[in-house]
Amino acid sequence: MTIGSVQPPRVIGHRGAARLAPENTLAGLRKAKAEGATWVEFDIKLSADDVPIVMHDDTLERTTNGSGPVRMRTLAELTRLDAGSWWGPAFAGEPIPTLDAALDTLAALGLGANVELKPCPGCEAETGRVVGARLARAWPASLPPPLLSSFSPEALEAARLQAPALDRAVLVNDRCAEWEALAARVGAVAVHTWWGFITAELARDVLAAGYALRAYTVNDVAEARRLFALGVAGVFSDVPGWVGTA
Ligand code: G3P
Ligand code: MG
């Protein structure tokens, strides 16, 4: 069954290829491509001056040499940081990418993407609005349209207003029981959740309701096979080439 207007592959690189290169960096996108991935997932949030950047955490400590909340730093401050040294010396100096830089790299590599809206607290609607508008204007025409996703329905609603033609997916974890209401609220085509939540019953219900189901983060081939057998359309993997043998 075809669900949505774009069909991502069964294996999508998670945060680029997060076990093989520093997450959410251009080097990570290149690594995913080198591993054989055709799509990647990455996380987007806003700088203090409302520029979309590729970053997972709300604070800088774990994946950069900076400190404090991302939302307190301007783009100029963020782009001076090193987002690669924490991973290893080979990646020293790797910057926090802007969304625009990520789009250029995707276009150069021919990679499709699931863009996850990952708003800093209190910035849910603003993040959806800014990123939705940017994707509607600047998404590379050579690529398949992106799939937008978020744990924040507010962000997805705001993105929908700016980019109504793009497919959306709801991410659910602690709100797992609410998947159907959340998906309907944002006009989603898919439900994305943690692999450990996916039972035969959940998969049956999500598919019967007309949504595609995807799982994060799957780094084990046997687990990927279990999920695909249940009808899961795709998995996000830190090792996209390896799981691709599933
Ligand atoms: O989009 C799938 C997955 O990335 C969601 O969780 O925390 O890795 O962004 P997280
Ligand atoms: Mg993510």
Side-chain angles (χ1 to χ4, degrees):
M1 179 171 43
T2 298
I3 303 169
S5 58
V6 61
Q7 303 305 315
R10 290 216 300 182
V11 181
I12 299 171
H14 184 237
R15 306 183 197 175
R19 195 182 274 183
L20 307 172
E23 66 181 56
N24 287 326
T25 63
L26 302 183
L29 302 185
R30 288 191 286 269
K31 185 65 180 172
K33 175 72 179 184
E35 288 292 300
T38 56
W39 273 56
V40 287
E41 181 265 5
F42 52 81
D43 307 291
I44 297 287
K45 56 204 326 112
L46 298 182
S47 65
D49 42 351
D50 278 350
V51 180
I53 57 157
V54 187
M55 182 90 187
H56 180 276
D57 293 7
D58 291 331
T59 52
L60 293 162
E61 281 82 353
R62 184 177 65 85
T63 60
T64 79
N65 61 346
S67 62
V70 174
R71 184 61 180 163
M72 302 295 285
R73 306 286 179 198
T74 63
L75 178 66
E77 292 172 316
L78 292 169
T79 51
R80 280 198 291 272
L81 298 177
D82 180 336
S85 286
W86 70 279
W87 180 267
F91 295 99
E94 191 68 32
I96 299 172
T98 60
L99 173 60
D100 284 357
L103 298 188
D104 288 346
T105 300
L106 294 177
L109 297 172
L111 274 177
N114 172 195
V115 178
E116 184 187 339
L117 306 171
K118 187 73 95 180
C120 294
C123 298
E124 287 78 9
E126 182 70 355
T127 303
R129 186 184 67 75
V130 171
V131 177
R134 192 70 198 140
L135 293 177
R137 259 190 58 196
W139 184 257
S142 60
L143 298 176
L147 172 63
L148 292 182
S149 66
S150 189
F151 287 107
S152 165
E154 294 81 7
L156 287 171
E157 286 177 324
R160 182 183 192 179
L161 291 174
Q162 301 296 324
L166 297 184
D167 283 355
R168 289 167 299 282
V170 284
L171 273 156
V172 292
N173 51 15
D174 54 327
R175 301 168 86 174
C176 220
E178 298 175 61
W179 66 265
E180 195 156 13
L182 289 167
R185 174 177 162 184
V186 304
V189 299
V191 175
H192 294 177
T193 193
W194 179 56
W195 64 268
F197 289 142
I198 298 179
T199 59
E201 184 184 17
L202 179 69
R204 186 195 61 216
D205 290 350
V206 171
L207 270 60
Y211 301 102
L213 179 61
R214 295 188 185 85
Y216 66 87
T217 305
V218 181
N219 296 330
D220 179 89
V221 169
E223 182 56 34
R225 289 192 181 123
R226 178 188 78 89
L227 294 165
F228 293 143
L230 293 179
V232 168
V235 298
F236 300 93
S237 179
D238 299 326
V239 282
W242 175 61
V243 172
T245 61

